[in-house]
């Protein structure tokens, strides 16, 4: 099957939900026929340099020979078997690798089927942990304003209450606590007052709190903000002091994106529970993981339920695990660290000219993440075709025009991408 034709596109706009989309006023769609390396090929033959890596995930590029081979080999053996009572090498070797790679102490692996589910699993682990310790009253969560943790109900309850439209779901969502977003920037100074409100909330509410959940260093979908490693270190210390678990949602930041293998490494901390997803399979298919300490796993298993109460149908899907394992091998073989450093300097250099534009409030880069923050939101309907005309795929969100390219993007393609971003910003200023 090739790319969709006109009739198929009409069916799409009438019958198929796309992410956060209207069925009355469906957004324009660009039909893709295939993708290879950092290029998306549209059905009309145009090729776009992809700045989004399909939402952080395609770190090695599309149609990667080694990932393709891993998928082919596994699919000829078995694409899926249930994980209840059965086990297999792809799950075992992937989990072994995750335990090795992730910060110290994260030793027990739950393989989930999407980022949001891995967050549900993390929240549930925290609640079951305190229940097993005879403190069932510790079942609420505290999270940060501007946070994003997924679209399922537990995850939504810890998303930013305004961005997450908590009002719409009030009475349905669990009532959680929110601390202010971390203000000190990634490479700025840190003052004790910067974390005072989190400390006050923990001091007042720790008796009912199971965990603090946060995105370490990079607040992604809730604002693309980078904050101080010292803030994260202090938050870790406060969690220890007030006996509240720390859940690090590294679904976006995991596997090198922020310049460290995990964003927690910037601060040299280990969370009690960590969520991984997005880049885990190199963007080939959906898979996520929730890692926890041995103590958490042991406590839950020794509790009243006698087990952890979760087990999705497609848990540890062998096909996804095999591709994920190969993706992690590729990270090491391709020297992700120098690739990400190279992209970081390319983004810094390439996006810098946008700083001079009156419509631009800030330009910031961390690892392989580049952000132009505007004073006013952009209209997607207006701006998306402008990027396509420039030969790039960039999908802004509100006031944020941002990219997170595949680590394999060449310097020449990176220059084309950033030049196009600046050109579109200039064009918007002229309109
Ligand atoms: C994308 C994302 C999620 C949700 O993952 P899905 O796979 O979309 O369910 C959760 N947390 C963070 C930080 C994310 O970026």
């Amino acid at each position: 099957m090739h790319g969709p034709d006109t009739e198929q596109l009409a069916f799409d706009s009438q019958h198929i939900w796309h992410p956060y989309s209207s069925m009355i006023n469906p957004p324009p769609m660009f039909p893709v026929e295939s993708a290879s390396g950092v290029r998306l090929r549209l059905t009309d033959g145009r090729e776009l340099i992809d700045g989004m890596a399909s939402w952080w995930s395609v770190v090695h590029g599309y149609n990667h020979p080694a990932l393709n081979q891993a998928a082919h080999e596994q699919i000829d053996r078995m694409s899926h078997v249930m994980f209840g009572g059965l086990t297999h090498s792809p799950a075992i070797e992937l989990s072994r690798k995750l335990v090795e790679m992730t910060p110290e102490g994260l030793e027990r692996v739950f393989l989930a089927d999407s980022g949001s589910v891995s967050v549900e699993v993390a929240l549930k682990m925290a609640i079951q942990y305190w229940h097993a310790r005879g403190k069932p009253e510790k079942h609420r969560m505290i999270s940060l304003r501007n946070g994003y943790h997924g679209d399922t109900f537990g995850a939504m309850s810890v998303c930013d209450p305004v961005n997450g439209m908590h009002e719409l779901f009030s009475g349905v969502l669990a009532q959680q606590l929110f601390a202010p977003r971390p203000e000190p920037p990634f490479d700025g100074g840190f003052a004790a007052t910067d974390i005072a409100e989190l400390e006050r909330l923990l001091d007042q509410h720790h008796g009912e709190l199971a965990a603090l959940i946060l995105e370490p260093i990079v607040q992604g979908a809730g604002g693309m903000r980078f904050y101080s490693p010292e803030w994260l270190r202090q938050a870790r210390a406060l969690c220890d002091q007030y006996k509240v678990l720390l859940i690090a949602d590294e679904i976006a930041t995991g596997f090198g994106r922020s310049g460290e293998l995990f964003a927690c490494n910037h601060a040299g901390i280990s969370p009690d529970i960590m969520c991984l997803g997005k880049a885990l399979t190199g963007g080939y298919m959906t898979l996520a993981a929730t890692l926890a300490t041995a103590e958490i796993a042991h406590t839950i298993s020794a509790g009243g339920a006698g087990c952890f109460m979760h087990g999705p149908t497609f848990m540890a899907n062998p096909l996804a695990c095999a591709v994920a394992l190969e993706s992690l091998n590729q990270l090491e073989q391709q020297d992700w660290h120098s690739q990400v450093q190279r992209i970081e300097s390319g983004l810094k250099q390439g996006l810098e000219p946008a700083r001079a534009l009156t419509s631009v409030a800030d330009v910031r880069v961390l690892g392989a993440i580049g952000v132009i923050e505007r004073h006013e939101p952009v209209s997607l309907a207006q701006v998306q075709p402008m990027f396509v005309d420039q030969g790039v795929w960039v999908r802004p969100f509100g006031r944020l025009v941002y990219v997170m390219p595949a680590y394999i993007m060449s310097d020449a393609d990176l220059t084309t991408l950033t030049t196009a971003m600046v050109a579109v910003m200039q064009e918007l200023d002229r309109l």
Side-chain angles (χ1 to χ4, degrees), residues 56 114-117 119 148-151 215 221 249 251-252 278 286:
W56 315 79
S114 74
S116 299
V117 170
V119 169
Y148 177 75
H149 298 286
D151 288 353
E215 296 155 278
D249 178 349
I251 292 168
K278 289 202 162 99
T286 179

Side-chain angles (χ1 to χ4, degrees), residues 1-16 18 29 31-32 43:
M1 230 192 323
H2 296 288
D5 59 25
T6 318
E7 184 280 325
Q8 287 175 316
L9 285 173
F11 183 90
D12 183 315
S13 71
Q14 268 192 337
H15 295 278
I16 312 179
H18 284 260
M29 286 294 146
V32 185
T43 41

Side-chain angles (χ1 to χ4, degrees), residues 55-56 113-119 147-152 155 159 213-216 218-222 249-253 275-278 286-288:
W55 282 328
W56 315 79
D113 31 17
S114 74
S116 299
V117 170
S118 80
V119 169
Y148 177 75
H149 298 286
D151 288 353
T152 52
C159 287
I213 180 168
L214 50 73
E215 296 155 278
V218 179
Q219 288 195 297
D249 178 349
E250 293 245 14
I251 292 168
T253 48
C275 300
L276 297 171
K278 289 202 162 99
T286 179
L287 182 70

Side-chain angles (χ1 to χ4, degrees), residues 61-79:
Y62 300 96
N63 199 17
H64 190 283
L67 298 189
N68 286 5
Q69 191 188 339
H72 284 300
E73 283 172 10
Q74 185 57 43
I75 209 165
D76 287 339
R77 233 170 264 130
M78 60 186 173
S79 51

Side-chain angles (χ1 to χ4, degrees), residues 41-86:
R41 191 181 169 81
L42 302 185
T43 41
D44 62 11
R46 282 186 292 179
E47 285 195 339
L48 307 180
I49 294 174
D50 176 24
M52 304 304 292
S54 286
W55 282 328
W56 315 79
S57 64
V58 185
V59 289
H60 308 299
Y62 300 96
N63 199 17
H64 190 283
L67 298 189
N68 286 5
Q69 191 188 339
H72 284 300
E73 283 172 10
Q74 185 57 43
I75 209 165
D76 287 339
R77 233 170 264 130
M78 60 186 173
S79 51
H80 186 63
V81 290
M82 64 190 278
F83 209 48
L86 298 174

